Amino acid sequence: MRHLLLAVTFALAAAARAADAPPAPRAVAPGTAAPDFTLTGDDGAKHSLSDAKGKYVVLEWFNPGCPFVKRHYGTKNMQSLQKTYTGKGVVWYSIASSAEGKQGRLTPAAAAKTRGKLGMSARILIDEKQDVARLYQARTTPHMFVIDPKGNVIYMGAIDDLPSTDWSDIKSAHNYVSAALDAALAGQPVAKTVSTPYGCSVKY
Amino acid sequence: MRYHGRVKASLALALALGAAPARAGMVDASLVSSRAAVRPGEVFDAGLRLKMRGGWHVYWKNPGDAGLAPRLAWSLPPGWSAEPFAWPAPRRIETPPLTDFGYDGEVLLPLRLTAPSDARAGESARLTATADWLECRDVCVPGRARVSLLARVAADSRPDEAGTAAIDAARAQVPLPDSEAAEGALWDGARVRLRLRGRVPLAEFFPEEPGVFENARSPVSVGPAETELLLSSAAGVGSPARAAGVLLRPGRAPVEIDVPVRAGGAAARFLLLAFAGGLLLNLMPCVFPVLAVKALGLLARGGQSPAVARRHAAAYALGVILSCELLAAALLVARSAGAALGWGFPLQSPWLVAALAALFAAAGLNLLGVFEFGTSIVGTGAGLSAREGLAGSFFSGVFAMIAAAPCTAPFMGAALGWALTRPAPEALAIFGSLGAGAAAPYALLTSWPALLKRLPRPGKWMVRIKQVFSVPMFATAAWLVWVLWRLASPAASPDALWRSWSPEAVASARAEGRTVLVDFTAAWCLTCQVNERTALATAEVRAALARPDAAAFRADWTARDARIAGELSRYGRDGVPLYVVHPRGGPAVLLPELLTERLVLDALGAGPEQKTEGGKTP
């Protein structure tokens, strides 16, 4: 009997001393829960993803100095998307994740100015330490995530199917974000749930 | 920030005459031709040359995590035609956590032009195109330039020496399809294992399409004769259907590979690996003495009937397999609770190490005949006179597996590391297969009547042999006491060559451009100790590690350490030993569990083969 005891001790030793390492963060994927975060906005207030439970949420990685971002703001494409969908009750966060000293680094005050100048309906959030960018493995500006009212990712990837910095071709692009939101808001399944994001690198 | 006007309007928009470079941003763009004069109807080589200022880069056809590939839009005179670029192999541009594929310094993107067959000698045509690219350093700037080439038509084609040389050099870096380089690809549920021919620790893979694989350089697992690239699929996508892309191997021309990824069969493969690992475990110093003593027991029962022998074999196998399963269950339970444990984890507990030391000492005394256990837990010495019961056989199986904990056999690391990423039934099956492998030799021996008949008769000589085999038992007990001492007072490495490991220290050594070897080890890991003494302590390896462009780190997992456990699981392993080499600017190379000096030197780039190949990659 004591032999069995020894063997069982092996098992218990493992189980009893559990939890000294947090499980590795799971990669964000369509159909899985979008990890929660709290960031300071251009309004100086704290904003949490979990506050928006029950609503659709768009996360847009944002760097106003990036030519790909300029393409969407210079043509008012992004502003009009933001206006349309925030008008339908969607929460839109433009996340500025640039590291200290890098292009696109914003303070809340500078973000408020940028937001006014560009005419954005989205709230700019400051990801000061790039923690949220790492959490979502954000690679590019723009890099888009659409989250449903239950908090699950329903789309992640590029803003559209035309990787370019050219302002003239934006009208001919197929916009994945509006496609996902239109389908979801109409109660339809989202056809394309993941694509390869394009743009400038997030300035880690 | 202003949005007045168009971005490109702010850029130099230069019209090139002849082949003079057009400059936009930090890049000079020009067209290069291989011909001073072309024949009517001739297909000839040309290329777009992009010359960058220091620190700036442009992108490959798959730009990686960010960026955009250069484009060329031709406006050709009637009858002329142009093919798309051929893409020279890129290099990785790493800005952690992001990885891009591209070119810095200068690149020539070759392409083929065709002159119209009805062109007349003596005429010339201006071939004009708009080149678009994205150039990045810490910021990105789109570049655009009009580039052109004056093509003279003549009855006889005449080469342009300088242009030809530049284009040939670029063509040499354009990968050609090679169906031999990759032997196959297997989806193991977490990543694609791309098997390559030969031992190529510095192999590097660039996926053809974006969004299929992770772009960061993948770890390489090398064995005695084969290499596996461990490719992670891109976030949000499952198993890729094919592994298609460019393969770089130092000293060889880049090649294009495209192999289907087998989705099934991973479980079968790892079951087999685990079984092989279990078999080899019998030869490891931890298990061998136990096994040898068991063989004596077999002799003692020489006269018994085959049926009885088979029952003993089954009891022994059951003991081995059940203890494997118990270990697996413990690991799974602990892991689901978030603990980072692996093979050999019981030895990270001082109490269990003390208990084991006592157990081995008792086994040694027992062999010396100081006292007898009867049908004891050890079951090794007692009952040699055919009185050992089935329980004795069972517990000697258990004992063999307990003794195995400090050893890792080849193949085990990969198999068990994989098992722990799988759902419980699969994980248990893998551990069971390891146990079956470990039990197989003795069980087969026992139930082989022909062999049993030929065994020597038991006699006095067996007592002597028992005494001999008590030595490894005492040695193990003594060694466990040392482990206990190391658990109590983790000693700083007494060796100036080996620095103590931290992810930051490794990152900074790599940033300094050093080749880094990390030895993940533990005092209780006998395999580790053997490798450290035989392969890592040789004069040549020490010399290679002592070079100013190298650094050696030792991560000591004797006591539990979540950071080390996390690092192990990053490489798909569940325990030590693990040897990771980061060649200068290279990926992580995982060496096998049993090291040889040659293997280490090869991976460090100090092998005779690689010495001549420095800086060969474009």
Side-chain angles (χ1 to χ4, degrees):
Chain A
M1 208 54 223
R2 71 200 144 113
H3 319 136
L4 266 181
L5 278 179
L6 181 80
V8 170
T9 315
F10 273 61
L12 293 183
R17 304 247 235 98
D20 64 346
R26 238 165 8 97
V28 172
T32 68
D36 193 21
F37 57 82
T38 304
L39 292 174
T40 305
D42 57 77
D43 54 355
K46 299 269 184 207
H47 298 264
S48 294
L49 180 64
S50 50
D51 296 345
K53 267 253 160 84
K55 291 178 180 169
Y56 284 95
V57 180
V58 174
L59 305 181
E60 168 210 340
W61 257 268
F62 176 67
N63 167 2
C66 161
F68 292 90
V69 175
K70 286 180 178 175
R71 170 181 183 240
H72 288 281
Y73 281 94
T75 54
K76 305 279 181 209
N77 181 49
M78 196 70 90
Q79 292 93 322
S80 95
L81 286 171
Q82 291 171 354
K83 196 166 176 214
T84 305
Y85 292 105
T86 52
K88 293 180 181 176
V90 173
V91 176
W92 191 303
Y93 290 132
S94 303
I95 302 179
S97 290
S98 296
E100 179 84 67
K102 299 267 175 78
Q103 183 196 51
R105 176 77 170 186
L106 292 175
T107 59
K113 262 192 176 163
T114 300
R115 183 170 184 257
K117 200 151 58 176
L118 292 178
M120 297 166 68
S121 321
R123 181 65 63 199
I124 300 178
L125 302 183
I126 316 293
D127 182 20
E128 218 187 326
K129 298 202 167 89
Q130 301 81 52
D131 291 336
V132 180
R134 284 201 177 85
L135 198 57
Y136 280 79
Q137 295 175 347
R139 283 147 53 178
T140 58
T141 51
H143 189 165
M144 311 297 297
F145 294 82
V146 181
I147 299 161
D148 73 8
K150 282 186 227 134
N152 292 325
V153 175
I154 55 170
Y155 173 75
M156 56 188 272
I159 181 157
D160 60 31
D161 64 349
L162 241 174
S164 131
T165 55
D166 201 328
W167 293 24
S168 60
D169 57 9
I170 208 156
K171 289 272 174 276
S172 55
H174 170 71
N175 194 293
Y176 292 135
V177 173
S178 58
L181 282 170
D182 290 345
L185 288 168
Q188 303 293 319
V190 175
K192 190 160 179 81
T193 58
V194 61
S195 67
T196 304
Y198 70 85
C200 308
S201 57
V202 170
K203 306 303 176 196
Y204 283 96
Chain B
M1 198 191 27
R2 292 192 182 166
Y3 286 106
H4 295 158
R6 317 296 284 272
V7 175
K8 59 195 180 202
S10 68
L11 299 169
L13 198 74
L15 179 72
L17 292 172
R23 195 172 156 217
M26 294 295 158
V27 173
D28 291 336
S30 59
L31 286 176
V32 178
S33 172
S34 63
R35 290 286 174 270
V38 296
R39 230 176 339 95
E42 183 176 5
V43 180
F44 62 102
D45 276 317
L48 173 70
R49 177 188 269 148
L50 298 172
K51 231 185 220 175
M52 291 141 259
R53 297 297 127 93
W56 291 84
H57 58 262
V58 296
Y59 293 90
W60 189 48
K61 60 180 172 184
N62 169 7
D65 283 336
L68 199 61
R71 281 181 288 202
L72 201 56
W74 290 96
S75 41
L76 293 169
W80 292 80
S81 67
E83 285 174 19
F85 293 133
W87 298 87
R91 70 174 203 88
R92 279 190 158 78
I93 297 155
E94 285 159 327
T95 47
L98 302 180
T99 304
D100 294 337
F101 306 140
Y103 313 99
D104 50 13
E106 181 182 324
V107 66
L108 195 149
L109 303 173
L111 55 93
R112 288 211 165 89
L113 293 170
T114 308
S117 47
D118 57 357
R120 274 173 306 173
E123 71 177 21
S124 32
R126 182 159 292 281
L127 314 178
T128 308
T130 303
D132 274 292
W133 65 88
L134 183 75
E135 51 188 279
C136 294
R137 191 169 60 180
D138 44 355
V139 298
C140 298
V141 181
R144 167 172 286 191
R146 299 243 316 158
V147 287
S148 73
L149 193 67
L150 193 65
R152 291 190 182 79
V153 182
D156 290 312
S157 173
R158 259 185 303 122
D160 176 315
E161 305 289 347
T164 302
I167 294 165
D168 285 353
R171 283 262 177 218
Q173 290 305 319
V174 173
L176 297 175
D178 182 343
S179 55
E180 300 284 290
E183 292 182 322
L186 178 72
W187 172 252
D188 75 4
R191 30 187 160 192
V192 170
R193 293 167 173 265
L194 178 63
R195 220 166 45 253
L196 305 180
R197 206 169 288 271
R199 205 162 79 210
V200 277
L202 298 179
E204 195 177 351
F205 176 74
F206 297 86
E208 181 89 8
E209 297 279 334
V212 182
F213 291 102
E214 292 251 331
N215 298 315
R217 199 161 171 177
S218 23
V220 183
S221 173
V222 294
E226 74 292 337
T227 306
E228 269 185 350
L229 283 178
L230 310 174
L231 310 174
S232 299
S233 62
V237 302
S239 161
R242 312 190 70 78
V246 170
L247 183 68
L248 281 189
R249 293 162 299 175
R252 292 192 231 181
V255 294
E256 215 173 72
I257 56 170
D258 184 359
V259 290
V261 176
R262 274 198 305 131
R269 176 165 177 267
F270 284 106
L271 281 171
L272 208 68
L273 275 185
F275 189 84
L279 275 179
L280 291 172
L281 208 46
N282 285 294
L283 297 177
M284 296 289 115
C286 317
V287 186
F288 190 71
V290 179
L291 209 70
V293 172
K294 278 306 295 175
L296 289 183
L298 192 65
L299 289 185
R301 291 195 308 270
Q304 69 196 175
S305 74
V308 172
R310 263 198 295 277
R311 274 208 294 280
H312 276 281
Y316 173 80
L318 198 67
V320 170
I321 293 170
L322 275 185
S323 31
C324 268
E325 296 294 20
L326 199 63
L327 181 77
L331 280 175
L332 290 173
V333 168
R335 290 211 160 205
S336 68
L341 298 175
W343 178 258
F345 78 89
L347 295 163
Q348 288 174 327
S349 149
W351 294 109
L352 283 173
V353 173
L356 277 181
L359 188 65
F360 274 95
L365 291 173
N366 178 245
L367 283 174
L368 286 182
V370 173
F371 66 89
E372 305 249 321
F373 272 114
T375 57
S376 71
I377 176 171
V378 185
T380 44
L384 279 184
S385 49
R387 277 185 287 111
E388 187 184 45
L390 283 179
S393 281
F394 175 82
F395 283 112
S396 51
V398 174
F399 183 64
M401 277 332 274
I402 293 174
C407 277
T408 309
F411 312 127
M412 266 178 64
L416 299 190
W418 184 77
L420 292 173
T421 65
R422 306 300 299 163
E426 261 175 89
L428 291 174
I430 297 281
F431 276 81
S433 175
L434 176 81
Y442 178 73
L444 282 180
L445 213 68
T446 321
S447 48
W448 198 344
L451 191 81
L452 284 173
K453 272 187 210 118
R454 242 183 264 166
L455 291 172
R457 287 156 158 253
K460 197 106 183 119
W461 61 273
M462 286 173 55
V463 177
R464 197 123 325 131
I465 299 238
K466 273 165 62 184
Q467 286 165 352
V468 170
F469 277 117
S470 72
V471 175
M473 294 294 161
F474 289 126
T476 308
W479 168 66
L480 285 168
V481 170
W482 174 71
V483 170
L484 203 57
W485 175 68
R486 282 284 305 275
L487 271 170
S489 57
S493 165
D495 189 334
L497 183 64
W498 292 91
R499 313 176 199 188
S500 104
W501 174 87
S502 75
E504 299 77 26
V506 169
S508 83
R510 292 186 68 193
E512 287 164 16
R514 294 170 194 258
T515 293
V516 172
L517 169 69
V518 187
D519 170 17
F520 291 91
T521 182
W524 43 261
C525 163
L526 199 59
T527 313
C528 306
Q529 310 303 320
V530 170
N531 284 330
E532 278 160 24
R533 276 157 189 75
T534 57
L536 295 179
T538 66
E540 238 188 300
V541 169
R542 286 187 66 92
L545 290 173
R547 287 199 322 220
D549 60 349
F553 292 91
R554 193 156 269 166
D556 189 342
W557 207 37
T558 303
R560 295 177 56 186
D561 184 317
R563 280 206 309 179
I564 294 177
E567 193 75 4
L568 293 173
S569 68
R570 270 191 51 201
Y571 296 115
R573 291 297 174 84
D574 80 317
V576 289
L578 174 65
Y579 305 98
V580 182
V581 174
H582 302 276
R584 191 153 44 90
V589 178
L590 314 186
L591 305 183
E593 286 96 334
L594 286 186
L595 291 182
T596 63
E597 183 187 25
R598 181 82 275 134
L599 246 154
V600 179
L601 289 173
D602 279 356
L604 289 174
E609 280 171 49
Q610 266 132 3
K611 259 179 189 157
T612 52
E613 295 166 357
K616 193 74 209 301
T617 45

